[in-house]
Every structure is written in structure tokens, then in C-alpha cells.
Amino acid sequence: MSEHERQSWFPLARVYDLAQRIYSEVPYRYVKSGHSLPAWHYFIEVTRRCNLRCKMCQYIDWLENVPVKEQRQGELSTQEWLDVLAQIQRFSLVTFTGGEAFVRKDFMELLTFASRRSRTHFISNTTMLPEERAEAIVALAPRRTGGMGFNFAGTSIEGPGERHDEIRKLRGAWDRSMAGIRRLRQYREASGKQCPHIHVTTVIQQDNLDVLHLLPKMVADAGVDVLNLVTETRMHDLPGFGEVDPSSFIPEQMAWPHIPRKALAAALNRTLDAAKGAGVELRLPRMPRDDLLDYYDGTGLDLNDYQCRNAWNTLIIGRLGDAYPCWLQKVGNVREHSLRTLWNNTTMRDFRKTCQKKLFAPCPGCCFLEHRGGPAKVKVPSVDTAVAGAS
């Protein structure tokens, strides 16, 4: 990829954040009824099944203890998913996720259908991308960013080689994931397209803290455009999650991750320096550095400093057809109601009205959470400042 093409990616994540803010500004601040403009980002969880067994996965107990045949039960059929995708507005962004989307034999059919109608994105472990599939995926991409079709490919890498395989609990997972990334890059370059842009997501966890700084060069060499570091969270472990009133949860119920403050600050600094040297954009969680350190050292976050506008922008459709503004609150099912009806139904409006006033105990660590100070408040401090604050 040329330097011009690489630089063209850099503002996109920030543009997305800004667009979300602008789009939700009036209904979030001033519409007290809880109504919102139409959703413009849809997360489609086509399955929760997966070929990996990652240590930090929120579904790990379910994946390890429920037979595969039972895991399939209740998933929307191909036609049901096509009917859902046909209801999505053409200006929208559709993110396919799992589990691992490619364990569904019909996933390419779903991706192709959606890419002809909307802007699309998938989150995959890229272990199931042989040559012909990678070529077909790039064929769905627009020539330039923002055009109709497959714009973004996301995958997860937790560390180099054996460390990644240990966390993923599959020997050879790193080789297969990196091969998938390289194939996408190869066909993108051969096509002369800017898309799909490729991003890697890494969960900040104790098991990869000592190797985080190795990731920027590794993913840049593979042709990745952006490296996202995200927080580890266990909110899906909560009993009744998504079904009960989210206000009923208390912080003491959460299995918060823990990393010593000094160790995390040092690892982040080394990783930031490595990203600058590798020429890859590094994206950190949307919070000030000190808050990130607080999250992992047990201090916790002050939710008064945060807001969440996800319920005004995004609709999640789970594998069984259940719909959510976020996983905290189910608002109905696509087998019973249209997307349009679900988006502004009574449960959704009530949830939005609550979010205008407060957030919930499981919210810290969620990637949708946004610091009220905005990007200016979340700037990364200098290395010296960060180390000095890590006591």
C-alpha cells in the first residue's frame, strides 16, 4: 500500500466518532420522549459459534460447555437474515460479527447481499480465508473509502506467534490469521483499490502485556492500517444480562480485569513508541490515560465523566433475532417486529431516557463508552507524564 493510501485511513475512525456525535446531538440532548433518527450502524451477530476458544472471550464458558449442535439452535436462517438486511437503509454501515462469522456456510451470501446495498465491515479471526474467499471479498469492496460495498475488515491478534496461540487456545491460529490478513492485502493491492481497510484489535490483558510493543511492527509488516487496543470486560457473565433491568446490576458483581498500574503504563508507552516507529495508527480506548490505568488497577471509573450515545446510532441484532441498542437491554425480536418498529418502540425509548440521565454498573470497559470531554480530553500525554502518574 502506498504512503498516500495509508494516510488516507488515519482520519476515518475520528470522522466516525464525530459523525456519531453530530447525528445524535439533537435527539440525545433535547428529545425527552426518547425518539431518535433512524439507526445508521447495525451490528449483525450472525452466530456465536467459533473455531477458537480465547481465554478472555465473554462467551468462553458457553463455547466450551454447550454442544455445537445445541449452539446452532435458534439461529436465524439464511432467508431470515436476508429479510433483516433488506430492511437496512442504504446510507448505513453494517458490521458482521460473531462468534466467528465464517463458521456459517452462508456467510459469503449474506456479506455479498449486504455489500450491494450498504457499506459493510466484518470482524473475524481471519483463520478461514483461503485464496478464493479473500479474492471474492475484495471484489465486493469499493474503489474508494465510503463507497457502497465492503469497506473494512477487522481481525484480532493478541500477540506474536505462540503467545497468540496460547491465548486463542489453538496451535497455528496466528499463522492462519496473519495469512488471511496478507491475502486481503494482496488482492486489495492487485485490484488498485483503497478498500478494504484492515484493522487489528488487541485486548489489553495480563497475558499479553509484555508483548504489546511487538504488535505495531508485526501488523504493519502484514499490511494492517490500524491497531486498536481495547479493554477487557466480563459484562456478559452477569446473570440475566440483556433480559433484566440494567439498573439492577452493581459494580461488585463485575469480574473486573486487573493489571498493576506501573506495568500497564510502561507497556502502553512502549507500544506507542513502537507504533510511531512502525508507521501504523494506534487507537486507544476512548478515555483519558489516567482513566484507563484506573480501570485496570481497581480504582474504577467515575461514570459521571462519561456518556453513551449508542442507543441513538446503533442497533445490534443477535444470532437469535433479539435486538439491542447495546447488549444491556433487549428491545424485541426481528422475527416479530420490523427494524423500524424496534428502533423507536417503548422499551427502546425508555432505555434512551435512562441513558440521558445515567449509565450503568457494567458500562466501564465498553467500547461504546465515550468520555464527555471528547477527543481533546483524551489526548495521549507524553511518556514522562504517563510514567510519573503511574504510582
Side-chain angles (χ1 to χ4, degrees):
M1 181 171 61
S2 71
E3 185 63 22
H4 172 74
E5 289 172 323
R6 183 180 296 280
Q7 289 176 354
S8 73
W9 162 267
F10 285 178
L12 290 182
R14 295 182 179 87
V15 168
Y16 174 85
D17 290 345
L18 180 61
Q20 275 196 317
R21 275 187 168 239
I22 293 172
Y23 190 77
S24 61
E25 183 69 15
V26 170
Y28 173 76
R29 293 194 181 279
Y30 304 112
V31 180
K32 303 305 180 185
S33 67
H35 284 85
S36 178
L37 298 170
W40 68 287
H41 193 174
Y42 291 81
F43 280 82
I44 306 296
E45 182 200 52
V46 291
T47 186
R48 201 164 284 182
R49 291 175 284 135
C50 189
N51 60 327
L52 302 181
R53 297 293 182 267
C54 307
K55 289 182 179 181
M56 69 293 179
C57 177
Q58 298 198 68
Y59 306 138
I60 187 63
D61 290 340
W62 183 82
L63 286 166
E64 290 185 335
N65 296 303
V66 176
V68 173
K69 184 177 180 180
E70 188 176 333
Q71 291 178 16
R72 287 194 182 95
Q73 291 178 2
E75 288 185 353
L76 295 187
S77 68
T78 303
Q79 189 57 54
E80 285 176 315
W81 276 125
L82 292 174
D83 291 343
V84 168
L85 295 170
Q87 297 176 54
I88 293 176
Q89 301 90 343
R90 289 185 176 272
F91 66 82
S92 301
L93 173 64
V94 178
T95 293
F96 289 98
T97 184
E100 171 50 50
F102 283 100
V103 303
R104 281 190 66 128
K105 295 180 180 180
D106 62 356
F107 178 59
M108 280 302 299
E109 180 181 353
L110 301 180
L111 180 64
T112 300
F113 180 84
S115 297
R116 290 171 178 164
R117 299 175 49 85
S118 305
R119 293 154 187 84
T120 57
H121 165 220
F122 68 55
I123 300 172
S124 163
N125 58 44
T126 60
T127 62
M128 302 173 71
L129 291 186
E131 294 281 349
E132 64 276 9
R133 183 172 286 172
E135 184 176 16
I137 288 168
V138 172
L140 298 174
R143 186 158 296 277
R144 299 190 180 280
T145 307
M148 200 74 73
F150 183 64
N151 276 251
F152 310 105
T155 191
S156 300
I157 300 292
E158 307 305 333
E162 291 184 3
R163 183 67 60 86
H164 176 82
D165 291 356
E166 289 172 5
I167 294 173
R168 299 284 179 176
K169 298 183 181 179
L170 179 67
R171 186 186 298 272
W174 186 85
D175 287 333
R176 290 166 60 183
S177 290
M178 297 301 287
I181 292 171
R182 293 190 182 97
R183 287 176 185 132
L184 289 175
R185 181 199 63 183
Q186 170 193 341
Y187 285 109
R188 180 183 68 185
E189 291 179 346
S191 69
K193 297 178 178 180
Q194 288 183 347
C195 300
H197 294 288
I198 304 169
H199 66 86
V200 160
T201 296
T202 301
V203 177
I204 302 168
Q205 54 188 297
Q206 185 65 59
D207 286 345
N208 66 7
L209 197 66
D210 61 323
V211 295
L212 280 180
H213 66 285
L214 301 177
L215 286 169
K217 185 177 188 305
M218 183 180 73
V219 300
D221 288 347
V224 170
D225 303 293
V226 174
L227 173 61
N228 294 308
L229 299 187
V230 299
T231 50
E232 180 181 358
T233 180
R234 304 296 314 178
M235 65 176 66
H236 284 263
D237 293 340
L238 292 168
F241 189 77
E243 300 284 349
V244 303
D245 180 356
S247 297
S248 66
F249 296 120
I250 58 176
E252 288 74 19
Q253 290 177 273
M254 296 294 299
W256 303 108
H258 181 76
I259 299 176
R261 192 178 187 90
K262 284 186 177 180
L264 178 55
L268 291 175
N269 290 334
R270 292 182 72 187
T271 307
L272 284 162
D273 285 344
K276 292 176 184 176
V280 65
E281 183 183 9
L282 181 68
R283 297 276 293 168
L284 296 174
R286 295 190 294 178
M287 60 178 69
R289 172 71 73 86
D290 281 346
D291 282 20
L292 181 57
L293 300 177
D294 288 345
Y295 176 76
Y296 276 99
D297 79 355
T299 303
L301 301 183
D302 183 352
L303 288 176
N304 292 317
D305 293 336
Y306 289 83
Q307 62 184 352
C308 182
R309 302 188 181 198
N310 206 56
W312 286 263
N313 296 299
T314 302
L315 189 63
I316 301 168
I317 310 299
R319 64 193 176 92
L320 306 180
D322 293 328
Y324 309 79
C326 81
W327 291 113
L328 275 170
Q329 179 68 68
K330 186 172 78 172
V331 299
N333 190 286
V334 298
R335 285 176 166 142
E336 301 168 359
H337 303 285
S338 68
L339 297 185
R340 182 175 181 179
T341 298
L342 292 166
W343 182 242
N344 275 314
N345 70 12
T346 301
T347 307
M348 178 73 91
R349 296 199 310 271
D350 287 345
F351 182 74
R352 290 192 189 113
K353 287 187 282 187
T354 301
C355 290
Q356 287 173 319
K357 301 173 184 176
K358 67 172 186 177
L359 297 178
F360 307 96
C363 290
C366 178
C367 57
F368 295 130
L369 202 64
E370 180 182 358
H371 195 274
R372 290 186 180 276
K377 194 71 175 288
V378 186
K379 285 182 179 177
V380 176
S382 68
V383 172
D384 291 342
T385 302
V387 172
S391 56

